Amino acid sequence: DTGVSQDPRHKITKRGQNVTFRCDPISEHNRLYWYRQTLGQGPEFLTYFQNEAQLEKSRLLSDRFSAERPKGSFSTLEIQRTEQGDSAMYLCASSIQGLRDTQYFGPGTRLTVL
Amino acid sequence: TQLLEQSPQFLSIQEGENLTVYCNSSSVFSSLQWYRQEPGEGPVLLVTVVTGGEVKKLKRLTFQFGDARKDSSLHITAAQPGDTGLYLCAGDYGGSQGNLIFGKGTKLSVKP
């Protein structure tokens, strides 16, 4: 299976700690997206990369959040000084530019901040 | 701000029944995608519709895109317990580089 993978699948942390999540997109996909999903809601867009360039960031992405895609392949999402409100499912998706941008999602990382 | 409304929010039916869920917006989509999500997992793509009036079939699932490209429906025939899940529609309004706007989803439960 060469779908989108995310690691870890689950993360429990204490308030104030830093956490980092990883996403490996489908290998030939040049676009990579991060979304956040809270209970009872659909996914909400956070940020998007085309190759290694971060082209768009949502207002949801506070200055405690940073995302990178250094070589245009895998991406990391770091949350500094976590707060209880950061508890959510963090989803990564990838797509090929020009293919109607159909996005394929990974299994997500469930973050719980105590 | 683009909003995407899905209805109903919850649906509980018996195995063998038919159902339709709806996705509506006041804005025009350049494309719309339907996903199914199970608890603790990421959304799995079911279909992408692009052309107004388009109808796509995936086994017992029929997807329709409105003529004006502002609405869509998903019809399931003879629902089975394996259809249970959260059905999400997501619209690409074409304004940015493919950032999808999701509805809140329809949570479907099919009882045997």
Side-chain angles (χ1 to χ4, degrees), chain A residues 20-36:
Chain A
T20 300
F21 309 141
R22 177 179 170 125
C23 170
D24 287 88
I26 295 171
S27 59
E28 63 268 26
H29 286 189
N30 63 336
R31 288 185 171 174
L32 186 149
Y33 306 80
W34 285 99
Y35 291 83
R36 182 172 69 186

Side-chain angles (χ1 to χ4, degrees), chain B residues 76-108:
Chain B
I76 301 179
T77 303
Q80 298 176 0
D83 295 326
T84 294
L86 180 68
Y87 289 83
L88 293 160
C89 67
D92 176 2
Y93 292 90
S96 63
Q97 300 287 334
N99 160 20
L100 293 177
I101 307 295
F102 279 84
K104 290 185 178 182
T106 292
K107 193 167 184 180
L108 172 65

Side-chain angles (χ1 to χ4, degrees), chain A residues 9 31 37 48 100 102-103, chain B residues 35 37 40 45 50 97-98:
Chain A
R9 293 293 311 276
R31 288 185 171 174
Q37 186 177 23
Y48 142 73
R100 299 195 181 98
T102 296
Q103 296 180 26
Chain B
Y35 293 86
Q37 186 178 27
L45 180 70
V50 178
Q97 300 287 334

Side-chain angles (χ1 to χ4, degrees), chain A residues 14-83:
Chain A
K14 292 182 179 179
R15 190 173 50 187
Q17 298 294 306
N18 299 342
V19 294
T20 300
F21 309 141
R22 177 179 170 125
C23 170
D24 287 88
I26 295 171
S27 59
E28 63 268 26
H29 286 189
N30 63 336
R31 288 185 171 174
L32 186 149
Y33 306 80
W34 285 99
Y35 291 83
R36 182 172 69 186
Q37 186 177 23
T38 54
L39 203 61
Q41 302 293 322
E44 295 174 293
F45 171 76
L46 292 178
T47 189
Y48 142 73
F49 291 85
Q50 182 161 305
N51 301 312
E52 65 276 6
Q54 188 173 17
L55 296 187
E56 190 173 347
K57 290 194 284 188
S58 161
R59 281 171 288 181
L60 292 175
L61 209 68
S62 77
D63 56 7
R64 296 184 297 106
F65 288 68
S66 63
E68 293 183 341
R69 194 183 183 197
K71 296 181 181 178
S73 55
F74 73 91
S75 175
T76 58
L77 177 67
E78 181 183 17
I79 308 174
Q80 295 182 326
R81 305 180 303 282
T82 53
E83 302 173 355

Side-chain angles (χ1 to χ4, degrees), chain A residues 78-94:
Chain A
E78 181 183 17
I79 308 174
Q80 295 182 326
R81 305 180 303 282
T82 53
E83 302 173 355
Q84 287 185 326
D86 296 332
S87 295
M89 174 78 92
Y90 289 85
L91 293 162
C92 176
S94 69

